Structures are given as C-alpha cells and as structure tokens.
C-alpha cells in the first residue's frame, strides 16, 4: 500500500456516504476518490474507480453493492461494505471490532469487511457476551425493541422530515410489522443465537440516535443469574474498549430516562443493565448514534484498522 492509500467512497451522496466523507475530510494520511455527479451511475467509470483504489467503501443499496463487488478484478482492492448485502456471508469479516478479542485483528487483515447494521450493533453488543458466558441461553425467546432517528430510513425519510412536507411527517412510526426485517438474521448469527429473536424497530421525529432495549426475566436465564452478573460480564468483555462503555450501577440506579440523541456525533456505544431484583426482571439497553457507531463512525473505525492507523485516529472518531 502506498504512503497515502487511495480510498474510494462509492455512494458518497447518500446519508452514510456523506457522513463518512465528512469524517475523512482534512485527513492527510489518505487520498479520497469520489466520482463527479455525471459519472456516479456510469458502470464503466465506477468499475475503473473501484479497481484503481486501495480500499473501497460501498454506501449503496444491497443489489448495487453486490454489483460493485462483482466488478472488482484487481486482487489488491479491499472493501468495506456499508450495505446489508454481505453481513451474514461467511467469506466476509463482520466489522464489529469489539465483538471479541480477535475481531479487530481480523478486520485489520481482511480483504472484505461488512459494516454492521445500526440496530444489530446495539443488540449484538448486549447479547453476544452474555450468550458466550452461558448467562443467556442461545435459544432464549428474545424481544428486541429499538427507536431510531429518521435518518435511519435513508434519504427518502430525511426528505419527508426535512423537506417541504415536513409539517405532516409522523412523530413516531413502528415498522417491520411482517417480522421479516433484514437485520434479524444478522442479529441472530453474530449474537450467537440459535433461535430467531423478535425484533421490532421504529422511527422517531428526531434526525439521529438510537435507544435499543431488551427485557429479560431472571427465572429464564442461567440458574442463579442476577443483574449484577450480567453487568459484570459486559463490563469485563468491554474493559479497555475505546468506543464501548458499560454504565456503572450507580448511574443506572439513578437514571430515569434514556436520550437516544445523547451520543450523536460520536462513535461511542453506551450499554446499560437496569435490574429489579424484586420483580426478577432486567432491562438491557444500548444508546448510540445510528450514523456514528451504527454506520459511518463504524466504517471509519474499520477503515483505520485496515490502514493500521486505529490508535492515531481514536480521538478523531470521538468528535
């Protein structure tokens, strides 16, 4: 790789692509390649661009992402795919560096990295360590609820809330009612679940940010498991993680609400374990920016791992 690797953002005018471009603006350790508007839908120019770069970041619909990958004939080109096209493909490395102790190294050495979905980022972060530790059965009947800012719906939903008809945009919408949301298999696979979870997403009338919650009954977990055991497991798993933090018990005990916008503009992910021993119930929570750790921030974090520049860029990702 050259001193200044060439990074091509394919789809830099979409919500995620624009954010990635902004996060990379002004960096002197890489060169950015984007296509002029007239060439963005020209398959020949796009193929030339992707085959001339060191790392391509795909911010495209699933079908277009698959076409872009199929157009690569240069074996040295590495790819970060921000679509959902390859997130359950065993030939691609899943781009959640904190997933386990070896995942960051896998990403750093990968040719093909699939950026996680926004909702799965929170769900997997909460569930995978508990399943691996045996505290949460892999076949547990899980229900996952999440509320995202409307930017999670892409340019069309942003236009609905910020365009001429914004006054009539809904304040809140639940969707995925047919229970076929494309994030569900991704959550199940990478959280280590053997049964499909119940996943219900929604949008609120705010631009970005996510609160994701998972309710648990202690009687259905490993014998003797209590809220403090779940917290300790997560705390141990993410000890030393730059971008993932687990709220201390004193904070959760004092909390009365969770703000989905609290971490907007950062690459941080905040996890919480709210426990009520009297009722035998636990609430797992995740708060993060759907355009940060849920999309563009994660893509830049993965890019830095692939460039071998993670340590140098950590502070940049925080802003």
């Amino acid at each position: 790789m050259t001193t200044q690797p060439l990074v091509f953002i394919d789809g830099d005018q979409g919500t995620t692509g624009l954010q990635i471009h902004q996060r990379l603006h002004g960096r002197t350790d890489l060169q950015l390649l984007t296509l002029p508007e007239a060439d963005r839908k020209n398959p020949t120019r796009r193929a030339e661009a992707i085959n001339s770069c060191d790392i391509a970041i795909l911010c495209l619909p699933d079908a277009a992402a698959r076409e872009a990958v199929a157009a690569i004939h240069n074996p040295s080109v590495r790819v970060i795919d921000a679509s959902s096209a390859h997130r359950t493909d065993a030939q691609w490395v899943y781009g959640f560096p904190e997933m386990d102790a070896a995942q960051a190294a896998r990403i750093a050495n990968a040719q093909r990295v699939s950026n996680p979905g926004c909702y799965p980022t929170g769900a997997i972060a909460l569930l995978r360590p508990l399943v691996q530790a045996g505290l949460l059965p892999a076949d547990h009947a899980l229900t996952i609820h999440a509320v995202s800012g409307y930017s999670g719906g892409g340019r069309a939903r942003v236009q609905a809330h910020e365009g001429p008809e914004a006054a009539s945009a809904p304040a809140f919408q639940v969707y995925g009612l047919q229970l076929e949301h494309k994030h569900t298999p991704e959550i199940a696979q990478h959280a280590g679940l053997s049964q499909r979870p119940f996943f219900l997403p929604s949008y609120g009338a705010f631009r970005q940010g996510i609160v994701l919650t998972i309710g648990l009954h202690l009687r259905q977990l490993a014998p003797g498991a209590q809220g403090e055991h779940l917290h300790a497991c997560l705390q141990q798993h993410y000890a030393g993680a730059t971008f993932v933090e687990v709220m201390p018990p004193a904070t959760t005990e004092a909390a009365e609400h969770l703000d989905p916008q609290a971490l907007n503009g950062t690459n941080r992910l905040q996890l919480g374990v709210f426990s009520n021993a009297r009722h035998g119930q636990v609430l797992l929570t995740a708060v993060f920016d759907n355009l940060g750790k849920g999309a563009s921030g994660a893509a830049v974090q993965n890019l830095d791992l692939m460039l071998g520049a993670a340590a140098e860029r950590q502070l940049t990702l925080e802003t």
Side-chain angles (χ1 to χ4, degrees), residues 94-151:
Y94 193 60
F96 184 15
E98 299 86 0
M99 191 165 76
D100 62 44
Q103 197 67 9
R106 295 188 190 103
I107 294 167
N109 294 297
Q111 284 293 111
R112 301 287 184 266
V113 174
S114 184
N115 219 50
C118 55
Y119 295 126
T121 296
I124 294 164
L126 290 166
L127 297 172
R128 184 182 175 95
L130 303 181
V131 172
Q132 288 186 324
L135 293 168
L136 178 67
D139 62 354
H140 189 79
L142 288 165
T143 298
I144 304 166
H145 292 279
V147 183
S148 171
Y150 56 77
S151 60

Side-chain angles (χ1 to χ4, degrees), residues 2 4 106 171 319:
T2 62
Q4 288 187 312
R106 295 188 190 103
T319 60

Side-chain angles (χ1 to χ4, degrees), residues 53-66:
C53 73
D54 293 296
I55 299 179
I57 304 178
L58 308 181
C59 304
L60 305 166
D62 289 5
R66 293 187 183 97

